[in-house]
Amino acid sequence: MEYKVVMPQLTDTMEEGKIVRWLKKEGDYVKKDEPLVEIESDKAVMEVPSMREGVLIKILAEEGEELPVGSPIAVIETEVEKAKGKIGKPVEVEKTTKQEAKKEEKKEKKIEIAEVKVENVEEIKLPEGTASPAARKLAAQLGLDLKELQEKGELPSPAHENDIKSYFYKKFFTKQALQILDEFGLEPETVYKEINKKKISKDDLLNYIKQKNIPKVGKPSDIQSILIKNLSKSAQIPVYHITHRFDVSQILKDERFTLTTYLIKIVGDVMQNHPRVRTIYKNGEYYTYPASNISVAIAVDEELFNPTIKNVEDKSLSEIYAELKELKEKSSNKRLTVEDIQGATFSISNLGMFGVIQFDAIIPPFHSGIVGIGTAIKGVITATFTFDHRVINGAQAAQFVVDIEKRINDKKYLKSLK
C-alpha cells in the first residue's frame, strides 16, 4: 500500500516548509519513527521521522524546495514486494499551491491532480582526456597531461579553460594560501599575476585581501535563515514600547537562581491576570491561551534560538531554572524539538550579563510582546517592553507592567517562591 508523506506542520504557526536534506534515498528501507528528512519550519530545522515502515519509492520534493503544509513530498510503499517494481516510476499526487493551503484552513479545499514523471536517466561518463578546444590548447602550452590529471581526479571531465588555469596557477600558492583562496572565492591566476611572487604564502594573500578590501561572502546558516524570515515578519507588526525601571535588589540576594529565572516566574504569574498578554493575532482572529507560555532568547555563537517554557504559572523557581538550563544545552547542541519551540505568547530577552543598560527587543511573530532586560545598576534594572498594538493597547500594557512591579516589590510573594 502506498503511503504519501506530506509536508508536516511542525509548529502551530507554520504555513510552509523547506526541504533541507533527505536522510534517505529512493529505494531505501525506512523503519517507523526513523529520521526521513530534515525540514526547515518558521522556527527551526528539524528531523522528521517516517510515520510508516516500508520502502521509499519516490521523492517528490527536492532539497531546497519550499512547499505549503500538507503538500506531498514523498511516497512510501509499505509492502516490500510491491515496492520492487515501483521505484522511480510515475506517482499520482495531490498538488497543493500556497493559495490552496490557505483555503484549506478555511475548509475550502481545492485539489488538482498532477502526474509526476520521473525518467530513469543513465549516467554517461565521458572518456578521460575530454576537454574543450581552448582547454586542450592551453594544457598543451602548459605541458599538462589532461588524461592523467582527470584520472587522478585533479581536473574535471570535461575540462574547460578556466579549470586548466586554476589547476596551473594553484602550484604557486602554499597549502594554507590555497585554503584562503577557496574561502574568498578568488581566482588563482588573477591573484598570482597581481602579487607576482614565485610562491605565495598565507600572509602574502591576507595582505593582498586587506589591501583590496575583499569581503568573504558566505550564506547564512539554516537557523540564521529562519531568523531572517521571522525578522521580516516582525517588521510588519505595529508595535510600541514601554520602558520601566524595576528594583530587583531583593531578587539579586538569592544566589540560588538567576534573575532571568525569577523574571520568567513573575511575568508568567502576572500573565494569568492579563489575558491579552496570553493572546496572539493570527489570520484576522484572536487566539487567547489559558497557559502562561514564555519564550526565552538564547544566543549560541552567531545563532539565536527562542525555546519556550510552558505553564510557568504552575512551576516553581527550581523547575524553571532546571528547564532553562536544559533548553540552553539543547540549543547549544541544536537538539530542540518541535515541542520546545512553540506555544509562547510572550518573550524575554536578557542582555544584562553583557553590561547593556537598555535595549529594544524585536517582537517574535505570533507573540503579544517581549521585554528586553538590561544590567542591574545598584539593584535596579531597565526593562523595555515591546507590544503588538493589534493585541494589547497602551493602558492594558501599562497595567501589566505595573502589576509586574507589584510582584517584584512583594517580599511575601517572593519568599513564597521555591
Side-chain angles (χ1 to χ4, degrees), residues 188-254:
E189 178 187 12
T190 303
V191 177
Y192 170 73
K193 288 181 177 179
E194 292 196 19
I195 295 180
N196 195 23
K197 285 184 68 175
K198 289 184 177 179
K199 199 71 171 180
I200 297 172
S201 68
K202 171 186 175 183
D203 291 338
D204 293 329
L205 189 52
L206 289 175
N207 287 333
Y208 171 83
I209 289 170
K210 185 175 181 180
Q211 289 172 6
K212 296 285 186 178
N213 196 29
I214 299 171
K216 181 189 286 188
V217 180
K219 292 184 178 180
S221 67
D222 293 331
I223 298 298
Q224 288 171 328
S225 296
I226 294 169
L227 179 62
I228 291 168
K229 284 183 180 180
N230 285 335
L231 288 174
S232 299
K233 291 179 182 178
S234 295
Q236 307 301 316
I237 301 173
V239 300
Y240 61 96
H241 307 283
I242 293 178
T243 300
H244 195 75
R245 291 183 176 85
F246 298 100
D247 185 346
V248 294
S249 53
Q250 291 298 317
I251 293 174
L252 295 177
K253 291 178 181 178
D254 188 352

Side-chain angles (χ1 to χ4, degrees), residues 124-133 135-136 139 145-151 155-161 163-164:
I124 301 174
K125 189 175 181 181
L126 295 170
E128 305 296 350
T130 304
S132 67
R136 284 183 173 279
D145 188 329
L146 281 176
K147 184 176 181 181
E148 182 181 346
L149 291 174
Q150 286 174 334
E151 286 176 346
L155 279 177
S157 181
H160 298 281
E161 187 176 15
D163 299 320
I164 305 299

